[in-house]
Amino acid sequence: MADKSFFIDTTKCTACRGCQIACKQWNMNPATKTLQRGSHQNPEDLSYATFKLVRFSEFEENGKPVWYFFADQCRHCTTPPCKIVADSLNVKAIMQDEATGAVLYDPKVKVKEKDYKEIRGACPWDIPRWDEKTQGMAKCTMCIDRIKEGLLPACVKTCPTGAMNFGDREKILSMATQRLEQVKKHYPKAQLLNHDFLRTIFLVVDDPKKYHKFASVTPETILASLNEVLTPVG
Amino acid sequence: MTNHYIDFRNADVILNMGGNVAENHPVSFKWIQEAKNRGAIFIHVDPRFTRTSTKADIFARLRSGTDIAFLGGMIKYILDNNLYDEFYVKNYTNASFMVNPKYSFDDGLFSGYDPSKRSYDASTWALEKDENGIPKRDMTLQDERCVFQLLKKHYSRYTLEKVTAITGTPQSDLEKVYAAYAATHAPDKAGTVLYAMGWTQHTVGVQNIRAMSIIQSLLGNMGIAGGGVNALRGESNVQGSTDAALLFHILPGYLPAPREQWQTLEDYHKTTPATKDPRSVNWWKNRPKYLASLLKAFYGDKATKENDFGYSWLPKLDKTQDASWLNLFDEMYKGTFTGFFAWGMNPACSSANAGKVRQALAKLDWMVNVNVFDSETGSFWKGPDTDPKKIKTEVFQLPCAAFMEKEGSISNSGRWMQWRSKCAHPPGDAMPDGEIMYDLFKKVQALYKKEKGSLPDPILNLKWDYETDGKFDVHKVAKEINGYFLEDIPEHPVDKKEYKKGTLVPSFVYLLDDGRTSSGNWIYCASYTEAGNMAVRRKKDDPTGLGLYPQWSWSWPVNRRIIYNRASVDLEGKPRNPNRALLKWDAENKKWVGDIPDGPAPPMGTEGVYPFIMKPDGVASIFGPGLKDGPFPEHYEPLECPIEKNLMSNQRINPVIKIFEGGPDTFATCDPRYPFVCTTYRVTEHWQTGVLTRWLPWLLETEPQMFCEISQELAKLRGIENGEKVFVESPRGKVWAIAIVTPRLKPFVIAGQTVHLVGIPWHFGWLHSKDVGVNANRLTPTVGDPNTMIPESKAFMVNVTKASQEPAKKAGKA
């Protein structure tokens, strides 16, 4: 089994929530109680029970409405800062699958709240989540059980438009760069987000901050935070 | 649909109007994305900027209820700029036909209007025929009395200025849409239109569709790959349900339901469409064969030539009776009938003016509610503001199986009849609907046998033998729908071949009017044959490369995937677009290659048959005299509208709509108490009244409560913050909702006035879960299209006010 990656083409996403719900179904994650808060984004944020979340961002530009959809999930970093911090805290909840590169949390490992906060703080995309009752951490699993059987992750399988893609990293990188070239013709500001060191690669057509606060980081920031976490604690 | 979902990918331009395809048909967007991948242009025209709009190359906004103005402007643009397919218009439509000299149109009214009856005498709308009964034509399209010139005259009034004033769409946007779409008039360009309730749920609903059919006929887009007029249907099997005639006015296969004035079979057959033109196939002339075969399927051996095949046992409608939904519930409200089956639906939430329906349900003696979950209908007697002690209605709740818990077919919008297997057992006592119906009717028959009843013949004579080992057998039903030879036929009139008694009929071509064949639904004849159940097939072969997949399930009629496909070729049978060759005539072997042709006849040439074989005249109708409200679509305002005067004419509303008055039926137009236009719609995450989806936690999590989308401008006007509770009120009711303040809705400038639009989903109801809200249909009016009576749920007037007088906490951005 080879090194895997996701390519998420936001230009094809219609925010149908198929990925969000397929993930819930496959993982048998419970639904949480939500309220209508003045947005179609629900639940409000990722959580111990929500690994995949379609984020809605709307605003006006030049008198015209703009509505961006960002199907957020763990980036499965090639060098995951969450794991580095966890290891340094002797929290054995996080591992990385050698074959696929999937970053996996074991929800049965109890993690102290202050350790969880540090681990979460290390993630530039604000992905790690924790359950107060079980003290376990959880996030996107890359559907490791599915992909080991040759199936696609649930979110990818469900996506009707081709926004969600998954496969061997080489092929995915090639797909992403080709699509970027195509899209740039209409959207000169289009970019791939941190594709060099992530296994979940987003394509956006605008400033990533317009999609989501934690959509991307500049290479300098990630290097700086990596340097920080690589420094021994205490 | 005339075409089918996969075919969308063949289009050069896709217009989604009167619909919100990405949100409500999310999986179909796969094919639209494929078209876009190939360079197609996607246009979305809608009162709101929705998830669909984010994927559109061109988005244009229009006021709810002004689609005919918008499309009328497009017709004018096409004609003014000569952007029509001249060959197609001349040869395949009735553009050249001459119209009765008494036909006229003036100030919003067509000739023949009787204001006291609120109806038209349509005799002046007739097309002229010569002494041989053949339509008179002017093939130069110049005669001022020909359809083409009358069309030009009618839409000359739909200038850009007028259209902008009515729709609120900026002129530049109109021109952008018109130019992009009209480019598909070229023979090598295909334009498709995808629509849904945004077009149908108006008092001018049918005429909205007509307007687009005219455009597609002018552009030569009917009957080609990537073209057509494509209704995106709602329920997964609503296509199947209308095919099977779950509507009062038809019998299976779209035969007209019999009426009181057609007492005998002969009387009924007098209404069979006829033509004197030998070049018009007029396929409906075969109707007597289909009715005879249907009656044999209903009554078996009891149907004989002597008793008109049991025709007298069919219920007859009164002369002009309209028993459609709005009238049905009006009669229920008046107490005209006492028993009711709510079968797989939730009228207490889904009906226009739902409050009236809730009152009506209380007038019943009994009701049977068949559904997967309990609903506001099944539990109406314990709803809010209802005292069960005051309700006499006895309600029977029959739980039924969900779709994966039973076997059978579902016919999608593209007419593909896809067979489904049973993959799970229904829980507890839940049964498949077919089983419930079958067992119930067996009991009814037994009671009639014992107690006689007032008219036992239709009940006792009904053929009701669809079981195997005592259990309902859906395959037996499917075969009955296809039909059988009921006798040995040594030499069939059609192909001279021999057919044995008890074998399945290969297609409706073989159905006879003399009682020797049966067929429960002629359009499904060929779906289950001696070769097997065609609906089960799943082969991915695609010989034309156009996505027809002829061996993936089965489509009616006779597995034709794109109907009217004879219009895709020239007079010699050559595809007009060789790059998308849907059909071509193989002269050597004297047959058509490609899709199943609309009949095997050779190309039209100078003496052959016209392509639109289901129409009596054989051509597409640009002039359409068969509708109640006129042969050309005309803009009228919705019953409840924001402006006092229709800018198009002095007829403010559709002059032939039925006005329900009194009691719970109240309306308000240009009333300062209800100043905003309201439209209702759906989201991807819920289904219809939410009767299934509100019970599914993963779905309810994404859209948990009733909301009301309002513009930033309206929010400012009313001091409403995003996320705060508001009341939305109409003359018929008041509901609460959470405000979503968004730049995606904008006020319109209509005839110099600012007109605000608000939008609400109709997915919620008091029963489940607590605090999700009540249904939007508390607000909608009892008024419908004059041809179909579909309610005007897309444009009515409301007020929106803050629920609390305190300033709201900032709830954050949408």
Side-chain angles (χ1 to χ4, degrees):
Chain A
M1 177 131 297
D3 185 6
K4 299 291 188 189
S5 285
F6 290 92
F7 169 47
I8 303 181
D9 183 354
T10 65
T11 69
K12 294 182 179 174
C13 177
T14 58
C16 71
R17 257 76 83 86
C19 58
Q20 181 176 315
I21 292 177
C23 172
K24 285 253 171 182
Q25 183 187 32
W26 182 257
N27 291 292
M28 290 308 279
N29 279 342
T32 59
K33 175 99 178 91
T34 50
L35 293 172
Q36 176 49 256
R37 301 161 292 109
S39 167
H40 293 288
Q41 180 173 321
N42 250 323
E44 223 173 323
D45 198 8
L46 293 169
S47 74
Y48 186 75
T50 303
F51 300 166
K52 178 83 174 164
L53 178 68
V54 179
R55 296 186 182 276
F56 291 68
S57 169
E58 75 176 32
F59 51 94
E60 213 169 354
E61 216 164 65
N62 305 322
K64 290 201 156 50
V66 178
W67 209 9
Y68 289 140
F69 311 130
F70 195 81
D72 200 9
Q73 62 172 78
C74 173
R75 303 301 194 273
H76 293 281
C77 305
T78 52
T79 310
C82 61
K83 180 176 189 303
I84 293 170
V85 169
D87 290 349
S88 74
L89 296 170
N90 209 25
V91 170
K92 300 205 201 306
I94 306 179
M95 64 155 281
Q96 189 166 28
D97 177 62
E98 232 184 279
T100 60
V103 179
L104 303 167
Y105 288 5
D106 183 350
K108 292 203 283 297
V109 173
K110 289 199 195 309
V111 180
K112 291 202 274 274
E113 187 172 6
K114 72 170 182 64
D115 288 343
Y116 151 67
K117 284 191 169 149
E118 240 186 284
I119 293 167
R120 178 171 171 175
C123 174
W125 300 278
D126 192 36
I127 298 298
R129 293 294 186 275
W130 177 79
D131 181 47
E132 202 173 353
K133 273 206 299 282
T134 62
Q135 307 248 304
M137 294 203 323
K139 66 167 189 69
C140 166
T141 65
M142 199 190 269
C143 276
I144 190 78
D145 49 351
R146 288 178 63 91
I147 66 180
K148 291 281 188 195
E149 296 296 326
L151 302 173
L152 290 169
C155 56
V156 177
K157 175 84 176 144
T158 284
C159 178
T161 60
M164 293 293 304
N165 302 275
F166 183 84
D168 295 347
R169 186 168 174 76
E170 288 307 302
K171 289 207 178 86
I172 287 291
L173 281 171
S174 161
M175 181 193 278
T177 42
Q178 270 178 40
R179 180 64 183 158
L180 176 67
E181 286 321 300
Q182 257 186 342
V183 170
K184 264 200 168 135
K185 292 184 196 145
H186 288 287
Y187 301 100
K189 289 199 269 179
Q191 55 175 292
L192 296 173
L193 301 182
N194 309 124
H195 56 291
D196 291 335
F197 47 86
L198 300 181
R199 288 199 173 84
T200 300
I201 299 156
F202 284 88
L203 168 65
V204 298
V205 300
D206 204 343
D207 174 3
K209 287 258 182 303
K210 289 183 178 169
Y211 289 75
H212 173 47
K213 189 167 153 196
F214 300 112
S216 102
V217 288
T218 59
E220 294 75 20
T221 320
I222 183 71
L223 281 172
S225 75
L226 266 180
N227 274 327
E228 218 180 281
V229 303
L230 286 169
T231 312
V233 173
Chain B
M1 295 187 172
T2 57
N3 295 45
H4 60 93
Y5 286 116
I6 300 173
D7 185 62
F8 298 171
R9 76 177 189 209
N10 294 318
D12 295 291
V13 184
I14 301 174
L15 171 63
N16 180 214
M17 189 170 167
N20 183 11
V21 65
E23 294 204 37
N24 299 320
H25 293 80
V27 179
S28 77
F29 210 83
K30 168 180 179 162
W31 307 113
I32 297 168
Q33 185 58 55
E34 277 212 22
K36 276 162 66 86
N37 293 344
R38 298 174 188 198
I41 295 172
F42 177 57
I43 305 172
H44 187 221
V45 180
D46 198 293
R48 303 179 300 141
F49 185 91
T50 69
R51 286 178 267 188
T52 301
S53 320
T54 65
K55 300 291 159 292
D57 298 292
I58 301 173
F59 168 72
R61 201 183 287 279
L62 92 167
R63 172 170 64 104
S64 263
T66 63
D67 300 80
I68 291 175
F70 193 105
L71 296 174
M74 193 187 291
I75 293 173
K76 179 177 193 297
Y77 181 92
I78 288 168
L79 297 174
D80 286 349
N81 295 293
N82 291 321
L83 293 170
Y84 55 93
D85 183 335
E86 194 178 340
F87 165 83
Y88 191 104
V89 168
K90 282 185 170 163
N91 290 288
Y92 298 160
T93 77
N94 69 5
S96 63
F97 287 27
M98 302 296 291
V99 178
N100 185 318
K102 292 211 184 80
Y103 161 78
S104 67
F105 174 84
D106 181 46
D107 196 22
L109 288 173
F110 296 93
S111 45
Y113 185 62
D114 183 343
S116 66
K117 295 204 185 107
R118 290 185 62 76
S119 73
Y120 282 105
D121 167 0
S123 52
T124 60
W125 304 349
L127 293 163
E128 297 257 272
K129 302 222 160 83
D130 66 19
E131 60 282 359
N132 297 315
I134 313 281
K136 284 192 189 162
R137 297 194 195 217
D138 169 27
M139 290 305 276
T140 69
L141 306 185
Q142 296 305 312
D143 192 311
E144 66 170 15
R145 296 301 302 172
C146 80
V147 166
F148 190 78
Q149 291 301 329
L150 291 171
L151 178 81
K152 235 181 166 169
K153 189 167 173 214
H154 192 92
Y155 292 103
S156 63
R157 302 143 58 230
Y158 288 73
T159 61
L160 287 171
E161 294 76 24
K162 208 31 115 34
V163 173
T164 292
I166 293 172
T167 60
T169 312
Q171 248 179 246
S172 54
D173 286 352
L174 291 175
E175 285 177 299
K176 233 190 246 164
V177 174
Y178 294 170
Y181 200 74
T184 65
H185 77 282
D188 65 343
K189 292 266 180 273
T192 186
V193 59
L194 317 179
Y195 74 93
M197 303 299 102
W199 266 357
T200 59
Q201 285 178 343
H202 292 277
T203 46
V204 292
V206 172
Q207 296 290 355
N208 282 336
I209 317 307
R210 269 279 297 145
M212 196 64 214
S213 305
I214 290 173
I215 290 170
Q216 290 295 69
S217 300
L218 289 173
L219 298 175
N221 282 330
M222 294 303 299
I224 68 171
V229 171
N230 297 306
L232 303 163
R233 305 217 59 176
E235 294 285 343
S236 58
N237 198 22
V238 65
Q239 181 67 53
S241 83
T242 55
D243 296 342
L246 264 67
L247 292 171
F248 81 97
H249 68 299
I250 47 179
L251 293 176
Y254 302 100
L255 307 175
R259 288 186 180 270
E260 164 196 341
Q261 60 270 39
W262 310 324
Q263 282 294 304
T264 66
L265 196 57
E266 198 188 329
D267 294 332
Y268 182 94
H269 288 326
K270 286 199 182 109
T271 68
T272 305
T275 180
K276 293 221 167 72
D277 191 339
R279 297 187 70 187
S280 176
V281 171
N282 181 32
W283 194 266
W284 272 121
K285 68 180 179 233
N286 294 298
R287 221 174 64 184
K289 301 174 188 166
Y290 308 145
L291 182 59
S293 301
L294 175 67
L295 291 170
K296 288 299 284 182
F298 280 171
Y299 304 117
D301 294 333
K302 300 283 181 15
T304 66
K305 233 185 222 140
E306 290 68 42
N307 67 17
D308 265 359
F309 301 115
Y311 173 80
S312 64
W313 301 326
L314 291 176
K316 311 286 184 303
L317 293 161
D318 295 343
K319 280 207 172 73
T320 55
Q321 182 183 8
D322 180 307
S324 60
W325 182 289
L326 296 177
N327 286 319
L328 189 155
F329 284 96
D330 194 49
E331 294 298 329
M332 187 192 288
Y333 181 82
K334 292 188 194 136
T336 309
F337 58 90
T338 54
F340 177 64
F341 280 86
W343 204 307
M345 53 161 63
N346 187 13
C349 284
S350 62
S351 181
N353 201 350
K356 178 180 177 183
V357 167
R358 283 153 199 261
Q359 291 180 59
L361 293 171
K363 311 272 174 82
L364 297 166
D365 287 348
W366 60 266
M367 173 170 68
V368 178
N369 182 46
V370 187
N371 217 313
V372 175
F373 296 105
D374 189 13
S375 72
E376 287 73 16
T377 299
S379 284
F380 84 93
W381 47 273
K382 54 176 178 169
D385 312 318
T386 309
D387 179 5
K389 290 201 188 67
K390 301 215 175 96
I391 309 289
K392 61 163 173 161
T393 317
E394 187 175 7
V395 178
F396 300 88
Q397 303 263 43
L398 298 184
C400 65
F403 67 90
M404 74 297 274
E405 296 163 350
K406 54 188 176 178
E407 186 185 10
S409 69
I410 284 191
S411 298
N412 73 7
S413 304
R415 297 164 282 104
W416 293 27
M417 175 199 185
Q418 296 181 104
W419 196 267
R420 313 266 192 102
S421 310
K422 174 179 173 176
C423 344
H425 292 303
D429 294 330
M431 286 162 67
D433 299 280
E435 254 179 69
I436 297 174
M437 269 175 229
Y438 188 70
D439 288 357
L440 185 63
F441 200 75
K442 270 168 79 171
K443 293 256 160 70
V444 169
Q445 272 188 329
L447 280 172
Y448 264 83
K449 227 183 213 134
K450 201 168 98 186
E451 300 175 11
K452 301 288 184 276
S454 46
L455 182 62
D457 286 350
I459 310 297
L460 296 178
N461 293 335
L462 197 74
K463 182 172 188 287
W464 204 244
D465 57 353
Y466 307 106
E467 61 192 89
T468 300
D469 301 328
K471 274 229 115 183
F472 173 69
D473 184 344
V474 70
H475 287 267
K476 285 198 164 149
V477 176
K479 288 180 185 173
E480 188 80 270
I481 286 171
N482 181 84
Y484 294 94
F485 289 109
L486 302 174
E487 286 174 27
D488 283 342
I489 300 182
E491 204 183 282
H492 195 288
V494 164
D495 63 357
K496 309 296 179 227
K497 291 208 180 110
E498 181 191 7
Y499 292 96
K500 286 279 185 213
K501 171 177 176 171
T503 58
L504 293 156
V505 179
S507 91
F508 55 68
V509 167
Y510 298 88
L511 295 176
L512 301 167
D513 66 359
D514 58 10
R516 290 189 290 166
T517 57
S518 69
S519 174
N521 190 335
W522 74 275
I523 60 178
Y524 279 75
C525 190
S527 62
Y528 210 132
T529 65
E530 291 301 312
N533 182 355
M534 299 290 111
V536 148
R537 303 180 305 173
R538 293 292 185 270
K539 278 185 121 186
K540 286 190 186 170
D541 299 9
D542 188 29
T544 62
L546 293 172
L548 301 178
Y549 297 104
Q551 293 184 80
W552 181 286
S553 84
W554 180 89
S555 68
W556 68 261
V558 292
N559 208 29
R560 185 171 304 132
R561 300 284 157 139
I562 294 178
I563 58 186
Y564 309 127
N565 55 26
R566 290 176 76 106
S568 68
V569 297
D570 64 16
L571 300 180
E572 282 73 54
K574 275 204 330 285
R576 295 185 71 221
N577 180 359
N579 293 323
R580 290 191 196 116
L582 180 60
L583 210 59
K584 61 174 153 226
W585 177 246
D586 174 357
E588 205 184 308
N589 295 301
K590 291 212 172 37
K591 64 185 180 80
W592 292 96
V593 176
D595 192 12
I596 309 288
D598 245 332
M604 185 171 142
T606 51
E607 290 173 353
V609 299
Y610 305 131
F612 285 79
I613 64 169
M614 297 308 292
K615 310 268 324 185
D617 292 333
V619 290
S621 297
I622 287 185
F623 188 82
L627 295 172
K628 295 213 171 91
D629 39 1
F632 284 134
E634 171 68 6
H635 171 73
Y636 302 110
E637 288 288 323
L639 178 66
E640 289 192 340
C641 74
I643 54 174
E644 284 199 6
K645 213 188 153 317
N646 176 359
L647 295 175
M648 219 21 127
S649 75
N650 282 310
Q651 285 300 316
R652 190 174 63 80
I653 59 174
N654 186 326
V656 302
I657 55 175
K658 175 173 173 173
I659 309 287
F660 290 81
E661 271 163 326
D665 288 320
T666 68
F667 309 95
T669 242
C670 280
D671 187 326
R673 293 174 298 163
Y674 308 104
F676 312 131
V677 175
C678 187
T679 188
T680 56
Y681 45 80
R682 305 143 201 252
V683 295
T684 317
E685 298 77 5
H686 277 295
W687 186 247
Q688 312 287 53
T689 66
V691 70
L692 298 178
T693 54
R694 280 183 276 131
W695 296 86
L696 297 177
W698 291 323
L699 294 174
L700 194 61
E701 184 184 46
T702 61
E703 291 284 0
Q705 291 179 301
M706 178 62 164
F707 59 83
C708 176
E709 291 185 313
I710 67 176
S711 69
Q712 294 166 318
E713 292 82 353
L714 179 53
K716 202 161 168 211
L717 190 70
R718 285 280 197 256
I720 294 168
E721 304 275 0
N722 188 43
E724 77 162 296
K725 199 180 216 182
V726 296
F727 287 122
V728 187
E729 188 174 4
S730 83
R732 294 157 292 277
K734 185 174 180 174
V735 304
W736 68 261
I738 304 297
I740 296 183
V741 179
T742 168
R744 296 177 293 100
L745 266 71
K746 286 242 167 287
F748 296 92
V749 177
I750 309 297
Q753 237 180 281
T754 299
V755 172
H756 289 280
L757 171 88
V758 305
I760 50 181
W762 61 294
H763 297 308
F764 299 100
W766 63 266
L767 179 67
H768 188 85
S769 97
K770 195 155 122 30
D771 291 336
V772 300
V774 298
N775 203 279
N777 275 312
R778 300 273 185 115
L779 310 179
T780 49
T782 311
V783 69
D785 176 280
N787 300 287
T788 60
M789 288 299 269
I790 188 168
E792 189 157 60
S793 322
K794 295 291 181 183
F796 53 97
M797 303 300 290
V798 299
N799 195 8
V800 179
T801 49
K802 286 164 79 82
S804 134
Q805 283 319 298
E806 289 149 31
K809 297 195 284 270
K810 256 267 189 263
K813 280 183 68 170

